[in-house]
Amino acid sequence: MTDVRAWAADGPHEEFKAFGYKLGPLGVDEVDIDVDYCGLCHSDLSMWTNEWGRTQYPFVGGHEVVGRVRATGAQVPNLKPGDKVGLGWFARSDLASRQSMAGDHHLSPGNEGTIMGRHGGFADIVRCQWPWASPLPDDLDVAKAGPLFCGGITVFSPIMSFGVKPTDKVGVVGIGGLGHLATQFLNKWGCEVTAFTSSPDKAEEAKKFGAHKTLNSRDPKSWKEAAGRFDFLLVTVNVTLDWQRLTATLAPKGRLHFVGAVTEPVPVHVPSIMGGQKQVSASPLGAPATIMQMLEFCGRHDIAPLTEHYKMSDINKAIEHLEAGKARYRIILENDF
Amino acid sequence: MTDVRAWAADGPHEEFKAFGYKLGPLGVDEVDIDVDYCGLCHSDLSMWTNEWGRTQYPFVGGHEVVGRVRATGAQVPNLKPGDKVGLGWFARSDLASRQSMAGDHHLSPGNEGTIMGRHGGFADIVRCQWPWASPLPDDLDVAKAGPLFCGGITVFSPIMSFGVKPTDKVGVVGIGGLGHLATQFLNKWGCEVTAFTSSPDKAEEAKKFGAHKTLNSRDPKSWKEAAGRFDFLLVTVNVTLDWQRLTATLAPKGRLHFVGAVTEPVPVHVPSIMGGQKQVSASPLGAPATIMQMLEFCGRHDIAPLTEHYKMSDINKAIEHLEAGKARYRIILENDF
């Protein structure tokens, strides 16, 4: 049995408090990680408040972990104690599923989440199945890498999976935790990047992240000029926008892709996507192999989230800051147990 | 000037009558075709009744033409009088557009339709720009080939463009003019084909066209069994279905593709396509190069529409038959001028 010290909330919106729990024997395919840093993601907030109705309390969030391997199960083929690793949203997959066998572990039915039905990385130790503990390249700044394992891979995976090309004109809709990483990725991918935002200060920052152009979503003239322009639009927000207007900015063969879980149905007007052979799609996170490609790409191109750092013991201040919409752009908790 | 004898209607739902008109001098990039056969497509019906509000009268329909080259303009590089050719929905593209230059003439802005703002193939002669007059392979039955140029390419093009694989499990939604061709294509493509239809007699016929399974869309048990099954669903109908239920039959990475111009918006529930990284798309007809690949594929695999034949002078009987929903599955008019 392994004693874990964590920060847990006993109910929606309740304060996080120090909380101890025990992990049972390490499974043969499992890894325990000594947590050094853990990102605080909007999904932690949604889980804390039970927005999705799936939270179990006491709730220990945290699924953007960076740390060092503490112990490995007998059948872990690639890791040893002391290895630097990262862990994101998923903590376990059925490795024999057709999807995992094809390298698409993130699409495997029955995947288990790091903070769904188990305790996450707001702790000194966290456990996962080995494929989801990704080795960190040496050239990556460990203090900032955490958000790559959720926010980062969420936007990197569709760029890979849907064949975005360096010659493409792309738009990033929403410049937040996901959007500011997408902008960096797509800039280094070689694309012409337009940031869609209604906030003038974010438009300025988007340029620093690599946006070549910005589109003020409240300016009708901008929309008009953008008609038929984009090969790939990455929607990182989860609020309802004027989808018809957004779709009209797609070039022939263009794609409107969602990584934000927009809750209201998006009305797709078939005749308006038919003439230009357009597509609408969505994706969740990414596969372990894609995570490794992303980490290598980040190291090679100096891509990192812009982060704000808190001691993990200040988690309540940090989550208040996030909930107030003030995070620029990702929050990282430093383990001070 | 070339005298053309045609069948024209003077208004919506009005009888087609013999109608003569003159074609001006042949453009350097144009071809005149002596019409032998012309399919009667549902779009002819929609244009005749001005369903889309874009019909000019007198209206001469007909955009599934098979015939012989009568005359060629000075800059036509590939055709000579007497060559057997087919002509479909499009009659002219901007050959210098980015889309045409990339081989996607069917997506080129400003494409001109064979029966939009000009007179079509219910006539003894019809004119088009040379890329849209596709040479017919010798092994194709000219009497039945017409519908390939509209209904056929409409379903063949997305199979090509969206990378349907022989290992895929595919569903054809609606077994009509388009669906019965899609079923044949996908069977010869190597796929496992399921025909979605609520009509028991069409289910039986679908098997003859190559469906391995049928799904009775009125049977809840069938839907349940189909959950998560399909890599590619081709929607050939243009009526509103239970899209949420249909989307639930997609496998991870599955695609819901529309070739029927469903008029009511299709509500896409992002969270329900996100987990499985699913896609929704639509496409119009296909490019000249794809038409040539389709014709070669049809010849090699003995694929042909199931047709009912009328003399062109019986066009009014034929369109009545089509309007009554009785066509099984495509109607062909034989030029008897």
Side-chain angles (χ1 to χ4, degrees), chain B residues 148-226:
Chain B
L148 295 174
F149 292 90
C150 177
I153 190 61
T154 294
V155 295
F156 186 84
S157 178
I159 298 171
M160 287 281 292
S161 303
F162 295 104
V164 174
K165 294 188 292 292
T167 48
D168 282 350
K169 292 183 171 61
V170 303
V172 177
V173 181
I175 301 301
L178 270 60
H180 91 293
L181 285 166
T183 302
Q184 294 181 66
F185 286 135
L186 289 163
N187 175 289
K188 298 300 184 186
W189 208 258
C191 301
E192 181 201 272
V193 185
T194 298
F196 286 60
T197 177
S198 55
S199 150
D201 61 319
K202 283 200 173 177
E204 274 317 297
E205 286 199 305
K207 288 184 183 167
K208 292 182 199 154
F209 298 132
H212 304 98
K213 297 165 188 273
T214 60
L215 188 151
N216 180 344
S217 46
R218 292 196 180 132
D219 171 22
K221 189 162 154 275
S222 298
W223 285 102
K224 211 170 165 183
E225 286 169 5

XYZ file of all heavy atoms in Angstrom, chain B residues 148-226:
593
model
N -24.644 7.781 -64.948
C -23.345 7.820 -64.262
C -22.826 9.249 -64.139
O -22.116 9.580 -63.191
C -22.315 6.968 -65.006
C -22.606 5.458 -65.049
C -21.591 4.758 -65.941
C -22.605 4.869 -63.641
N -23.184 10.108 -65.099
C -22.601 11.451 -65.158
C -23.195 12.424 -64.146
O -22.676 13.510 -63.956
C -22.689 12.011 -66.581
C -21.799 11.237 -67.511
C -22.263 10.127 -68.198
C -20.466 11.589 -67.627
C -21.414 9.387 -69.005
C -19.613 10.856 -68.430
C -20.082 9.743 -69.123
N -24.304 12.007 -63.499
C -24.811 12.837 -62.403
C -24.950 11.961 -61.158
O -24.167 12.055 -60.232
C -26.115 13.511 -62.791
S -26.822 14.479 -61.436
N -25.933 11.062 -61.154
C -26.129 10.197 -59.991
C -24.888 9.383 -59.661
O -24.506 9.245 -58.502
N -24.247 8.851 -60.669
C -23.087 7.989 -60.457
C -21.918 8.731 -59.837
O -21.403 8.344 -58.785
N -21.508 9.820 -60.457
C -20.323 10.531 -59.967
C -20.586 11.157 -58.593
O -19.673 11.302 -57.774
C -19.826 11.590 -60.985
C -18.471 12.135 -60.552
C -20.832 12.699 -61.192
C -17.356 11.102 -60.470
N -21.841 11.508 -58.332
C -22.198 12.089 -57.031
C -21.867 11.136 -55.883
O -21.428 11.569 -54.815
C -23.704 12.445 -57.011
O -23.916 13.497 -57.955
C -24.165 12.900 -55.636
N -22.048 9.845 -56.104
C -21.737 8.892 -55.029
C -20.326 8.310 -55.146
O -19.724 7.905 -54.153
C -22.784 7.744 -54.939
C -24.146 8.321 -54.546
C -22.887 6.957 -56.235
N -19.788 8.296 -56.372
C -18.432 7.744 -56.545
C -17.370 8.718 -56.024
O -16.383 8.310 -55.391
C -18.188 7.457 -58.030
C -16.890 6.751 -58.317
C -16.796 5.372 -58.212
C -15.754 7.460 -58.698
C -15.606 4.711 -58.475
C -14.557 6.812 -58.956
C -14.485 5.433 -58.847
N -17.579 9.994 -56.269
C -16.567 10.994 -55.908
C -16.219 10.984 -54.411
O -15.033 10.965 -54.056
C -17.022 12.388 -56.356
O -16.082 13.362 -55.975
N -17.206 10.975 -53.492
C -16.813 10.947 -52.077
C -16.119 9.647 -51.671
O -15.280 9.664 -50.762
C -18.135 11.136 -51.322
C -19.216 10.828 -52.302
C -18.665 11.186 -53.649
N -16.450 8.536 -52.323
C -15.761 7.276 -52.003
C -14.267 7.448 -52.286
O -13.407 7.032 -51.508
C -16.358 6.109 -52.826
C -17.824 5.895 -52.476
C -15.570 4.820 -52.595
C -18.543 4.901 -53.392
N -13.971 8.103 -53.406
C -12.586 8.412 -53.765
C -12.000 9.476 -52.846
O -10.938 9.315 -52.252
C -12.534 8.976 -55.189
C -12.757 8.005 -56.297
S -11.283 7.016 -56.656
C -10.200 8.294 -57.326
N -12.691 10.619 -52.761
C -12.115 11.801 -52.107
C -11.879 11.605 -50.620
O -10.961 12.210 -50.056
C -13.028 13.013 -52.264
O -13.264 13.276 -53.607
N -12.735 10.824 -49.976
C -12.615 10.706 -48.528
C -11.977 9.376 -48.127
O -12.068 8.949 -46.980
C -13.966 10.936 -47.856
C -14.476 12.337 -48.054
C -15.489 12.620 -48.951
C -13.882 13.386 -47.383
C -15.926 13.916 -49.158
C -14.308 14.694 -47.578
C -15.334 14.963 -48.467
N -11.326 8.741 -49.091
C -10.484 7.600 -48.761
C -11.203 6.411 -48.162
O -10.698 5.800 -47.215
N -12.372 6.074 -48.674
C -13.043 4.854 -48.200
C -12.156 3.664 -48.551
O -11.615 3.584 -49.658
C -14.442 4.719 -48.848
C -15.082 3.382 -48.480
C -15.330 5.881 -48.404
N -11.976 2.768 -47.577
C -11.063 1.638 -47.764
C -11.847 0.335 -47.933
O -12.936 0.192 -47.383
C -10.141 1.519 -46.550
C -9.182 2.695 -46.393
C -8.158 2.465 -45.291
C -8.761 2.454 -43.914
N -9.287 3.758 -43.474
N -11.266 -0.609 -48.658
C -11.954 -1.898 -48.861
C -12.247 -2.636 -47.560
O -13.122 -3.487 -47.525
C -10.970 -2.683 -49.731
C -10.192 -1.637 -50.457
C -10.041 -0.516 -49.473
N -11.527 -2.298 -46.508
C -11.783 -2.945 -45.215
C -12.901 -2.254 -44.428
O -13.266 -2.712 -43.347
C -10.506 -2.899 -44.355
O -9.982 -1.569 -44.373
C -9.461 -3.860 -44.893
N -13.428 -1.172 -44.964
C -14.438 -0.407 -44.236
C -15.804 -1.097 -44.241
O -16.167 -1.781 -45.192
C -14.599 0.996 -44.853
C -13.486 1.959 -44.449
O -12.692 1.610 -43.554
O -13.422 3.053 -45.039
N -16.524 -0.862 -43.158
C -17.939 -1.215 -43.101
C -18.715 0.053 -43.452
O -18.554 1.078 -42.799
C -18.306 -1.707 -41.707
C -17.658 -3.048 -41.375
C -18.097 -3.561 -40.014
C -17.622 -4.981 -39.801
N -16.134 -5.112 -39.838
N -19.511 -0.040 -44.515
C -20.178 1.168 -45.005
C -21.687 0.967 -45.034
O -22.173 -0.160 -45.149
C -19.678 1.545 -46.420
C -18.169 1.743 -46.433
C -20.084 0.493 -47.441
N -22.411 2.074 -44.914
C -23.863 2.044 -45.014
C -24.325 2.989 -46.099
O -23.792 4.094 -46.231
N -25.281 2.546 -46.904
C -25.891 3.409 -47.906
C -27.303 3.715 -47.420
O -28.124 2.802 -47.268
C -25.933 2.729 -49.287
C -26.637 3.624 -50.296
C -24.519 2.382 -49.747
N -27.550 4.998 -47.146
C -28.837 5.386 -46.582
C -29.750 5.851 -47.707
O -29.538 6.912 -48.295
C -28.649 6.488 -45.517
C -30.001 6.870 -44.906
C -27.675 6.024 -44.437
N -30.751 5.034 -48.026
C -31.677 5.316 -49.123
C -31.264 4.550 -50.371
O -30.163 4.739 -50.876
N -32.135 3.684 -50.851
C -31.819 2.903 -52.050
C -32.704 3.424 -53.177
O -33.829 2.964 -53.402
C -32.047 1.395 -51.799
C -31.174 0.926 -50.632
C -31.739 0.576 -53.054
C -29.669 1.120 -50.828
N -32.190 4.435 -53.869
C -32.894 5.015 -55.011
C -31.904 5.137 -56.154
O -30.980 4.328 -56.269
N -32.082 6.198 -56.937
C -31.188 6.392 -58.072
C -29.725 6.452 -57.659
O -28.861 5.806 -58.253
N -29.433 7.223 -56.624
C -28.052 7.339 -56.152
C -27.635 6.106 -55.349
O -26.550 5.557 -55.541
C -27.892 8.594 -55.271
C -27.513 9.883 -55.998
C -28.542 10.277 -57.031
C -27.285 11.021 -55.018
N -28.525 5.676 -54.455
C -28.178 4.595 -53.542
C -27.911 3.278 -54.256
O -27.030 2.516 -53.853
N -28.643 3.006 -55.331
C -28.445 1.704 -55.987
C -27.116 1.681 -56.737
O -26.512 0.615 -56.904
C -29.640 1.349 -56.881
C -29.556 1.778 -58.309
N -29.571 3.095 -58.701
C -29.436 1.043 -59.446
C -29.475 3.147 -60.016
N -29.397 1.921 -60.501
N -26.630 2.858 -57.128
C -25.292 2.929 -57.735
C -24.210 2.869 -56.653
O -23.213 2.162 -56.799
C -25.152 4.201 -58.570
C -25.880 4.168 -59.919
C -25.980 5.565 -60.530
C -25.181 3.209 -60.899
N -24.438 3.588 -55.557
C -23.470 3.567 -54.449
C -23.267 2.139 -53.942
O -22.141 1.725 -53.645
C -23.955 4.468 -53.313
N -24.350 1.397 -53.849
C -24.271 0.013 -53.361
C -23.384 -0.829 -54.278
O -22.530 -1.596 -53.816
C -25.689 -0.587 -53.269
O -26.463 0.236 -52.394
C -25.661 -2.007 -52.728
N -23.557 -0.647 -55.584
C -22.723 -1.390 -56.531
C -21.250 -0.977 -56.411
O -20.353 -1.824 -56.361
C -23.202 -1.142 -57.965
C -24.599 -1.694 -58.246
C -25.017 -1.443 -59.696
O -24.435 -1.984 -60.627
N -26.040 -0.602 -59.877
N -21.011 0.333 -56.375
C -19.622 0.815 -56.273
C -18.947 0.240 -55.033
O -17.830 -0.274 -55.089
C -19.581 2.341 -56.189
C -19.863 3.052 -57.487
C -20.718 4.154 -57.535
C -19.263 2.655 -58.677
C -20.973 4.827 -58.722
C -19.509 3.318 -59.873
C -20.364 4.407 -59.893
N -19.629 0.373 -53.884
C -19.010 0.008 -52.609
C -18.808 -1.495 -52.492
O -17.846 -1.956 -51.876
C -19.843 0.556 -51.442
C -19.748 2.084 -51.303
C -20.890 2.630 -50.442
C -18.403 2.495 -50.713
N -19.695 -2.260 -53.106
C -19.487 -3.715 -53.131
C -18.210 -4.049 -53.897
O -17.360 -4.791 -53.419
C -20.703 -4.396 -53.767
C -20.481 -5.899 -53.934
O -19.689 -6.321 -54.778
N -21.143 -6.702 -53.120
N -18.056 -3.456 -55.069
C -16.870 -3.754 -55.877
C -15.609 -3.118 -55.287
O -14.488 -3.504 -55.618
C -17.063 -3.272 -57.321
C -18.205 -3.948 -58.047
C -18.021 -5.462 -58.150
C -19.150 -6.080 -58.966
N -19.073 -7.558 -58.970
N -15.823 -2.113 -54.433
C -14.707 -1.460 -53.738
C -14.120 -2.393 -52.677
O -13.061 -2.120 -52.123
C -15.234 -0.179 -53.069
C -14.274 0.935 -52.869
C -13.657 1.279 -51.707
C -13.823 1.884 -53.833
N -12.872 2.384 -51.896
C -12.953 2.779 -53.189
C -14.096 2.088 -55.202
C -12.332 3.850 -53.849
C -13.495 3.137 -55.857
C -12.618 3.997 -55.193
N -14.857 -3.462 -52.369
C -14.376 -4.430 -51.387
C -14.962 -4.265 -49.996
O -14.599 -4.990 -49.074
N -15.869 -3.301 -49.838
C -16.412 -2.990 -48.509
C -17.501 -3.972 -48.093
O -18.101 -4.645 -48.926
C -17.027 -1.593 -48.517
S -15.874 -0.299 -48.952
N -17.786 -4.002 -46.795
C -18.998 -4.651 -46.316
C -20.105 -3.602 -46.375
O -20.011 -2.557 -45.735
C -18.829 -5.135 -44.877
C -20.077 -5.843 -44.364
C -20.139 -5.872 -42.858
O -19.600 -6.798 -42.255
O -20.743 -4.928 -42.277
N -21.134 -3.863 -47.182
C -22.145 -2.849 -47.486
C -23.476 -3.170 -46.805
O -24.003 -4.272 -46.961
C -22.380 -2.745 -49.013
C -23.338 -1.600 -49.326
C -21.060 -2.582 -49.751
N -23.989 -2.198 -46.070
C -25.325 -2.314 -45.481
C -26.240 -1.276 -46.129
O -25.890 -0.099 -46.192
C -25.282 -2.065 -43.955
O -24.460 -3.061 -43.339
C -26.672 -2.122 -43.347
N -27.381 -1.742 -46.622
C -28.363 -0.822 -47.199
C -29.379 -0.443 -46.138
O -29.970 -1.315 -45.506
C -29.054 -1.483 -48.387
N -29.547 0.867 -45.919
C -30.562 1.372 -44.987
C -31.814 1.692 -45.806
O -31.789 2.588 -46.652
C -30.109 2.679 -44.333
C -29.048 2.549 -43.287
C -27.799 2.007 -43.572
C -29.283 2.998 -41.983
C -26.805 1.917 -42.598
C -28.302 2.918 -41.003
C -27.064 2.373 -41.310
N -32.890 0.988 -45.553
C -34.124 1.308 -46.254
C -35.304 0.854 -45.413
O -35.190 -0.107 -44.641
C -34.176 0.673 -47.664
O -35.437 0.974 -48.256
C -33.986 -0.836 -47.622
N -36.413 1.548 -45.546
C -37.602 1.132 -44.804
C -38.521 0.308 -45.702
O -39.549 -0.171 -45.262
C -38.343 2.359 -44.266
O -38.634 3.239 -45.325
N -38.138 0.132 -46.966
C -38.991 -0.585 -47.912
C -38.491 -2.024 -48.096
O -37.378 -2.249 -48.561
C -38.968 0.181 -49.248
O -39.141 -0.700 -50.334
N -39.318 -3.019 -47.718
C -38.871 -4.422 -47.810
C -38.497 -4.828 -49.237
O -37.523 -5.554 -49.433
C -40.095 -5.214 -47.320
C -40.896 -4.245 -46.519
C -40.668 -2.906 -47.146
N -39.218 -4.336 -50.248
C -38.870 -4.756 -51.613
C -37.551 -4.125 -52.043
O -36.749 -4.749 -52.748
C -39.999 -4.463 -52.615
C -40.317 -2.986 -52.718
O -40.333 -2.301 -51.660
O -40.531 -2.486 -53.845
N -37.289 -2.899 -51.576
C -35.992 -2.288 -51.900
C -34.861 -3.002 -51.165
O -33.745 -3.113 -51.679
C -35.994 -0.800 -51.569
C -36.750 0.029 -52.605
C -36.353 1.493 -52.541
C -36.969 2.282 -53.683
N -36.650 3.716 -53.594
N -35.138 -3.486 -49.973
C -34.119 -4.242 -49.231
C -33.712 -5.469 -50.041
O -32.519 -5.781 -50.166
C -34.658 -4.650 -47.858
N -34.697 -6.138 -50.624
C -34.390 -7.317 -51.451
C -33.568 -6.927 -52.670
O -32.588 -7.574 -53.025
C -35.693 -8.008 -51.904
C -36.231 -9.000 -50.893
C -35.134 -9.872 -50.290
O -34.490 -10.625 -51.043
O -34.901 -9.776 -49.060
N -33.989 -5.824 -53.312
C -33.258 -5.386 -54.505
C -31.843 -4.936 -54.153
O -30.906 -5.153 -54.915
C -34.026 -4.271 -55.215
C -35.247 -4.804 -55.948
C -35.745 -3.841 -57.016
O -36.011 -2.676 -56.666
O -35.857 -4.260 -58.182
N -31.716 -4.291 -52.980
C -30.391 -3.813 -52.556
C -29.400 -4.970 -52.510
O -28.233 -4.810 -52.851
C -30.490 -3.124 -51.202
N -29.874 -6.126 -52.098
C -28.987 -7.293 -52.057
C -28.506 -7.653 -53.453
O -27.349 -8.019 -53.650
C -29.696 -8.470 -51.392
C -29.853 -8.264 -49.888
C -30.482 -9.471 -49.204
C -30.687 -9.172 -47.727
N -31.552 -10.172 -47.085
N -29.393 -7.523 -54.436
C -28.983 -7.795 -55.821
C -27.929 -6.784 -56.286
O -27.060 -7.108 -57.096
C -30.188 -7.749 -56.760
C -31.174 -8.885 -56.530
C -32.339 -8.816 -57.516
C -33.510 -9.643 -56.997
N -34.792 -9.166 -57.522
N -28.024 -5.552 -55.772
C -27.025 -4.534 -56.153
C -25.701 -4.727 -55.410
O -24.727 -4.054 -55.704
C -27.551 -3.123 -55.873
C -28.782 -2.763 -56.665
C -29.889 -2.194 -56.043
C -28.840 -2.998 -58.030
C -31.023 -1.869 -56.761
C -29.978 -2.679 -58.763
C -31.077 -2.116 -58.123
N -25.709 -5.623 -54.414
C -24.444 -5.906 -53.741
C -24.424 -5.633 -52.250
O -23.369 -5.733 -51.624
N -25.581 -5.261 -51.683
C -25.610 -5.063 -50.227
C -25.456 -6.414 -49.536
O -26.115 -7.381 -49.909
C -26.916 -4.397 -49.804
N -24.566 -6.469 -48.537
C -24.388 -7.702 -47.789
C -25.396 -7.814 -46.667
O -25.754 -8.893 -46.238
C -22.968 -7.758 -47.217
C -21.915 -7.626 -48.267
N -21.291 -6.429 -48.544
C -21.411 -8.528 -49.143
C -20.424 -6.616 -49.534
N -20.484 -7.860 -49.917
N -25.836 -6.658 -46.189
C -26.813 -6.612 -45.109
C -27.801 -5.495 -45.409
O -27.497 -4.587 -46.185
C -26.129 -6.281 -43.763
C -25.117 -7.307 -43.297
C -24.249 -6.722 -42.172
C -23.117 -7.665 -41.822
N -23.502 -8.657 -40.819
N -28.945 -5.571 -44.757
C -29.884 -4.454 -44.859
C -30.289 -4.054 -43.449
O -30.267 -4.878 -42.530
C -31.139 -4.823 -45.675
O -31.793 -5.918 -45.037
C -30.769 -5.199 -47.102
N -30.592 -2.774 -43.298
C -31.043 -2.280 -42.005
C -32.401 -1.615 -42.224
O -32.518 -0.668 -43.009
C -30.035 -1.283 -41.429
C -30.285 -0.830 -39.988
C -28.972 -0.461 -39.302
C -31.239 0.359 -39.922
N -33.418 -2.176 -41.586
C -34.758 -1.600 -41.693
C -34.843 -0.413 -40.741
O -34.839 -0.572 -39.524
C -35.815 -2.651 -41.342
C -37.216 -2.081 -41.452
O -37.410 -0.861 -41.502
N -38.199 -2.956 -41.497
N -34.901 0.775 -41.332
C -34.807 1.984 -40.518
C -36.007 2.155 -39.586
O -35.999 3.024 -38.733
C -34.620 3.205 -41.417
O -35.515 3.156 -42.497
N -37.047 1.325 -39.759
C -38.202 1.437 -38.843
C -38.126 0.441 -37.694
O -39.025 0.376 -36.867
C -39.502 1.231 -39.626
C -39.738 2.375 -40.586
C -41.152 2.431 -41.102
N -41.277 3.563 -42.026
C -41.832 3.505 -43.205
N -42.371 2.388 -43.645
N -41.874 4.583 -43.977
N -37.033 -0.325 -37.655
C -36.913 -1.377 -36.648
C -35.878 -0.991 -35.586
O -34.675 -0.979 -35.840
C -36.508 -2.682 -37.351
C -36.157 -3.778 -36.361
O -36.598 -3.690 -35.200
O -35.437 -4.716 -36.757
N -36.337 -0.648 -34.372
C -35.410 -0.206 -33.311
C -34.307 -1.223 -33.036
O -33.177 -0.848 -32.725
C -36.323 -0.050 -32.087
C -37.702 0.077 -32.627
C -37.734 -0.695 -33.913
N -34.616 -2.519 -33.160
C -33.617 -3.558 -32.870
C -32.438 -3.450 -33.848
O -31.276 -3.577 -33.455
C -34.277 -4.937 -32.955
C -33.389 -6.079 -32.465
C -34.207 -7.335 -32.163
C -33.355 -8.593 -32.293
N -33.276 -9.100 -33.690
N -32.751 -3.208 -35.116
C -31.691 -3.057 -36.129
C -30.743 -1.930 -35.756
O -29.527 -2.042 -35.892
C -32.294 -2.719 -37.494
O -33.119 -3.747 -37.942
N -31.323 -0.822 -35.298
C -30.494 0.333 -34.931
C -29.570 -0.015 -33.788
O -28.409 0.375 -33.766
C -31.374 1.517 -34.544
C -32.001 2.175 -35.723
C -33.296 2.024 -36.146
C -31.379 3.063 -36.655
N -33.509 2.772 -37.264
C -32.353 3.424 -37.602
C -30.094 3.592 -36.771
C -32.091 4.299 -38.662
C -29.827 4.468 -37.826
C -30.820 4.801 -38.752
N -30.127 -0.738 -32.822
C -29.351 -1.099 -31.645
C -28.149 -1.941 -32.048
O -27.017 -1.714 -31.602
C -30.252 -1.865 -30.666
C -29.855 -1.646 -29.231
C -30.905 -2.200 -28.289
C -30.337 -2.313 -26.881
N -31.315 -2.916 -25.958
N -28.402 -2.922 -32.919
C -27.325 -3.813 -33.356
C -26.251 -3.066 -34.150
O -25.104 -3.490 -34.209
C -27.888 -4.939 -34.224
C -28.648 -5.991 -33.419
C -29.427 -6.959 -34.311
O -29.297 -6.862 -35.546
O -30.162 -7.775 -33.750
N -26.661 -1.976 -34.788
C -25.734 -1.256 -35.666
C -24.886 -0.228 -34.920
O -24.010 0.411 -35.513
C -26.516 -0.574 -36.782
